Amino acid sequence: MPQKIGLISDSHSYIDHKTLEYLQNVDEIWHAGDVGDLQVIDSLPKGIPVRGVFGNIDDQEVQERFPEWNEFTLEGVKVLMTHIGGKPPRYAKGVKIRIRESKAQVLICGHSHICKVEFDRELNCLYMNPGAIGQQGFHQTRTMLLFDLDQGKITNLKVVELGKRGRV
């Protein structure tokens, strides 16, 4: 049975009803850092597991809840998640080595506030950054990703536009 994933990042203490609507029907929620206030996590739909990492703006409370790196396998897909990952081919320091060592098939990161999905042929790894769901930052449009994990593959990938930054 495919696992439906809702991937968000860079909430910066903000989450709205539109984002929560899209997260109602997923099996897991992944947050790629810069949570801000833990109230964001607490307001997510109840009963849905949340995996995440802390970001560069996150305080001690968020850092106690989430690690800097999160490595796991779900539905046969090896995932590596961190907040500051750079992007292919210029990853942040140490990220390329970590991808190789972990044999990750997917790298999830945030930080840039730019939604981007790209396959890195050199590392045989899918790079995924959902952009930002929050109001703070230079991004114009708030975004997130929805996709399924099914028997070692990512399917039904969708970019969800949540509206312009600064408008409620």
Side-chain angles (χ1 to χ4, degrees):
M1 189 99 187
Q3 292 285 302
K4 294 185 180 311
I5 308 300
L7 175 57
I8 58 176
S9 188
D10 294 276
S11 48
H12 291 262
S13 302
Y14 177 85
I15 193 162
D16 65 346
H17 68 282
K18 196 170 188 180
T19 305
L20 292 171
E21 239 175 73
Y22 281 104
L23 295 173
Q24 289 294 329
N25 299 313
V26 299
D27 297 307
E28 286 197 7
I29 299 167
W30 300 352
H31 196 302
D34 277 1
V35 172
D37 192 321
L38 276 177
Q39 193 170 354
V40 168
I41 301 301
D42 296 339
S43 68
L44 294 171
K46 303 298 177 230
I48 299 175
V50 177
R51 298 182 198 249
V53 292
F54 69 78
N56 57 298
I57 67 124
D58 289 322
D59 63 12
Q60 189 66 35
E61 197 176 15
V62 176
Q63 291 179 35
E64 287 171 7
R65 177 91 70 83
F66 297 112
E68 181 179 6
W69 292 89
N70 197 338
E71 204 174 307
F72 57 92
T73 301
L74 184 64
E75 276 297 310
V77 178
K78 177 77 174 187
V79 178
L80 180 63
M81 185 188 310
T82 194
H83 181 61
I84 301 177
K87 64 181 180 181
R90 295 199 317 257
Y91 294 96
K93 187 177 181 183
V95 172
K96 212 175 211 184
I97 291 164
R98 190 94 185 230
I99 293 169
R100 283 191 175 115
E101 286 175 352
S102 68
K103 295 179 175 44
Q105 296 165 280
V106 178
L107 173 69
I108 305 281
C109 64
H111 189 63
S112 71
H113 293 218
I114 299 168
C115 185
K116 184 176 182 71
V117 177
E118 180 180 337
F119 187 74
D120 185 330
R121 292 186 196 288
E122 179 193 340
L123 297 175
N124 197 32
C125 183
L126 183 65
Y127 169 91
M128 299 178 84
N129 184 326
I133 64 166
Q135 296 288 0
Q136 293 182 347
F138 60 87
H139 59 285
Q140 304 253 334
T141 303
R142 298 178 308 109
T143 56
M144 63 181 282
L145 296 173
L146 295 173
F147 57 92
D148 294 344
L149 292 180
D150 189 11
Q151 299 176 26
K153 294 184 178 165
I154 291 179
T155 60
N156 300 320
L157 175 63
K158 294 179 185 90
V159 175
V160 178
E161 291 189 356
L162 300 163
K164 297 287 184 195
R165 179 182 54 82
R167 295 193 185 152
V168 181

